[in-house]
Amino acid sequence: MSVEALPSPVRTGFPAGFVWGAATAAYQIEGAAAEDGRTPSIWDTFSRTPGKVRNGDTGDIAADHYHRYREDVALMASLGLGAYRFSLAWPRIVPGGRGPVNEAGLDFYDRLVDELLAAGIAPVATLYHWDLPQELEDGGGWTNRDTAYRFAEYARVAAERLGDRIGTWTTLNEPWCSAFLGYGNGIHAPGRTSPADALTAHHHLLLAHGLGTAALRSALPPAAQVSLTLNLAAVRPLSQDAADLDAARRIDGLANRIFLDPVFHGRYPADVLADTAEVTDWSFVRDGDLAEISRPIDSLGINYYTPTVVAADDPERPAVRQDGHAGDISPWPADRGVRFLPAEGSRTAMGWPVDADGLYELLTRLRDDLPGLPLLVTENGAAYEDYSDPSGAVRDPERIAYLHGHLGAVRRAIGDGAPVKGYFLWSLLDNFEWAFGYSKRFGIVHVDFASQRRTPKESARWYAEVIRTGDLPA
Ligand code: FCB
């Protein structure tokens, strides 16, 4: 066979139809905190509580997206984005969490969705990205079962108004963080520090997901897609010693199977129930809850930043919890006997080790554990110390390297049979990074918060080129 007759090189790019997106969340970018009838969420209260958020930053103005959404959609279009993942603010739509609907709040999302569609960008909406109406927290928040029912009502209202134009809906973003950082170690709103509350909140969040899924299905056209986004952990034992393997089993339970088993198999894992027995008897789980929670969904969203390396406690070594989460208290209920160690490699500005293999491990594990279920990477990206140089340019080669590595991992997972349908880069814009305030920049577009000027970073141009070619540069 002559060289000419050899088949053309194997296509190394992403599959046709692969969805290229970027992600944001309401409280992190919108601002307009008190406009058009929005009432405070737990993050408004928390960010006003001294000592909770770095520099006393709040989301009052954030990236002012509420007023600048047209400019932001134009930016997205200029990058060639096919989809945009954003969240709806519950306290805009149902202020106070229950009762009358605020049409002015819905109107904002109406305008945003129409702008996206006019630009040829598919809207992907998340109903809950952590901004629980404060009134509901005052009534117990996610530790109160009633909150799950209020969520379902809100889901129905949003779907009835926007369901004719939004094709993909996500109930919750990272319920692990809502429960374990919000109610367990208190580093996130509402700032409670009770392992029992964390597990109660966890169950009620899943119940909200199930009830919300039912509400969405009843209000949406049959072709609409319903999803859930989890920050599953790529858990690695430090060694193959039995004690390290058991630490990995325990954390895999508390990070992964505590979600995957109820949502996809209608049961909580027996070992997680046993591991947490010292914290709670799980009597908050009522008959019928697991059937509700395991209603079929159309895809699973995965947010991934860094792997989780664990080892057994060792009397010779100091206890460490370098799990990427700030705070002195562990968010992991009943993690006694587990050390969390950093993976090797360079670190982002969050101090999170850069390790793209973790994303590959997660995607191929889900390929095996949930055969046939479409997967979306709904968040992935990195914070670095970006600044705009005297010429006005923002050069972020480390972010480009991070994205290149992780998109390479996604491509490799797809090549090995993982049904990954899309990738949403976190984040479109620099924004309010929760307890870190504006000190951490995750955007591919730089935001000067004083002037609200947007400047695409080099990584934005790089990503636009990946989207255009459907492949990574050599
Ligand atoms: C995720 C959150 C997102 C953002 C990134 C960095 O846990 O979903 O809002 O803060 O981390």
Side-chain angles (χ1 to χ4, degrees):
M1 206 200 302
S2 71
V3 175
E4 286 75 16
L6 283 172
S8 59
V10 182
R11 195 183 135 79
T12 53
F14 289 79
F18 190 77
V19 175
W20 295 101
T24 63
Y27 190 70
Q28 294 182 275
I29 64 162
E30 284 180 359
E35 255 170 83
D36 295 337
R38 181 186 180 277
T39 56
S41 75
I42 53 175
W43 270 96
D44 297 82
T45 307
F46 190 74
S47 61
R48 281 188 165 61
T49 309
K52 296 298 187 192
V53 173
R54 197 172 284 186
N55 301 321
D57 290 343
T58 73
D60 283 0
I61 300 171
D64 197 31
H65 173 74
Y66 192 80
H67 301 115
R68 293 167 196 267
Y69 69 94
R70 284 205 175 83
E71 182 190 343
D72 292 337
V73 172
L75 258 171
M76 296 177 212
S78 74
L79 300 178
L81 293 187
Y84 173 52
R85 173 180 181 257
F86 60 101
S87 77
L88 308 179
W90 186 349
R92 275 193 206 290
I93 295 176
V94 187
R98 63 173 82 237
V101 173
N102 178 32
E103 297 298 331
L106 280 167
D107 290 346
F108 168 66
Y109 297 106
D110 239 12
R111 295 193 293 276
L112 172 63
V113 166
D114 287 346
E115 193 76 14
L116 288 164
L117 293 174
I121 299 167
V124 174
T126 298
L127 284 164
Y128 186 69
H129 201 127
W130 306 354
D131 43 1
L132 185 71
Q134 180 61 42
E135 279 90 337
L136 293 185
E137 176 57 26
D138 296 341
W142 289 110
T143 60
N144 182 352
R145 186 178 170 89
D146 183 62
T147 299
Y149 293 88
R150 302 289 75 78
F151 175 79
E153 271 173 22
Y154 152 60
R156 186 183 44 77
V157 164
E160 280 172 354
R161 173 68 98 86
L162 302 162
D164 57 336
R165 284 155 294 148
I166 299 179
T168 304
W169 292 76
T170 303
T171 53
L172 309 176
N173 174 70
E174 300 192 356
W176 188 92
C177 294
S178 300
F180 297 105
L181 300 180
Y183 293 80
N185 86 336
I187 207 74
H188 278 185
R192 288 204 241 166
T193 54
S194 152
D197 283 357
L199 288 166
T200 312
H202 164 80
H203 179 66
H204 293 151
L205 279 152
L206 286 187
L207 183 61
H209 161 73
L211 295 167
T213 298
L216 288 173
R217 297 266 192 231
S218 72
L220 292 174
Q225 303 279 301
V226 177
S227 188
L228 166 68
T229 278
L230 300 174
N231 56 316
L232 297 176
V235 181
R236 294 187 194 143
L238 184 65
S239 78
Q240 294 301 307
D241 290 355
D244 288 350
L245 291 175
D246 194 58
R249 174 201 58 76
R250 204 174 245 265
I251 298 307
D252 180 53
L254 290 169
N256 300 329
R257 290 179 292 109
I258 199 171
F259 291 100
L260 298 175
D261 283 19
V263 171
F264 295 103
H265 306 299
R267 55 161 193 261
Y268 279 112
D271 62 327
V272 172
L273 298 181
D275 288 345
T276 55
E278 65 195 66
V279 171
T280 174
D281 60 5
W282 290 73
S283 54
F284 43 75
V285 181
R286 300 211 188 144
D287 283 354
D289 284 3
L290 286 156
E292 201 65 65
I293 290 169
S294 58
R295 285 173 182 278
I297 53 175
D298 303 303
S299 64
L300 180 65
I302 311 299
N303 293 354
Y304 173 84
Y305 292 91
T306 192
T308 304
V309 180
V310 296
D313 239 349
D314 180 342
E316 314 265 290
R317 292 173 217 275
V320 278
R321 186 178 58 80
Q322 293 197 42
D323 60 352
H325 304 296
D328 300 331
I329 301 171
S330 173
W332 305 93
D335 70 347
R336 246 185 310 107
V338 178
R339 290 187 301 142
F340 292 83
L341 303 159
E344 318 227 308
S346 64
R347 310 272 184 108
T348 69
M350 296 294 284
W352 297 343
V354 177
D355 185 315
D357 289 342
L359 181 52
Y360 174 85
E361 290 160 21
L362 211 46
L363 295 172
T364 49
R365 176 226 178 127
L366 293 167
R367 169 201 66 195
D368 298 341
D369 286 3
L370 302 169
L373 184 75
L375 305 173
L376 293 166
V377 176
T378 37
E379 283 182 29
N380 176 243
Y384 287 104
E385 309 286 349
D386 305 316
Y387 59 94
S388 92
D389 72 17
S391 75
V394 184
R395 294 178 216 281
D396 55 346
E398 296 148 301
R399 181 172 292 102
I400 292 173
Y402 181 100
L403 296 172
H404 199 150
H406 287 75
L407 279 166
V410 172
R411 194 176 61 181
R412 193 153 60 89
I414 294 171
D416 291 342
V420 187
K421 306 300 180 193
Y423 176 91
F424 293 80
L425 196 159
W426 185 273
S427 182
L428 176 72
L429 301 170
D430 289 339
N431 60 51
F432 175 83
E433 177 46 36
W434 308 114
F436 294 91
Y438 298 99
S439 70
K440 302 293 176 203
R441 294 180 175 274
F442 273 92
I444 52 171
V445 175
H446 183 270
V447 178
D448 172 51
F449 291 103
S451 66
Q452 293 294 348
R453 206 175 112 83
R454 275 87 164 125
T455 307
K457 303 178 190 178
E458 253 178 17
S459 56
R461 300 188 202 295
W462 180 88
Y463 190 45
E465 197 52 18
V466 170
I467 295 172
R468 196 183 63 77
T469 59
D471 202 0
L472 297 171

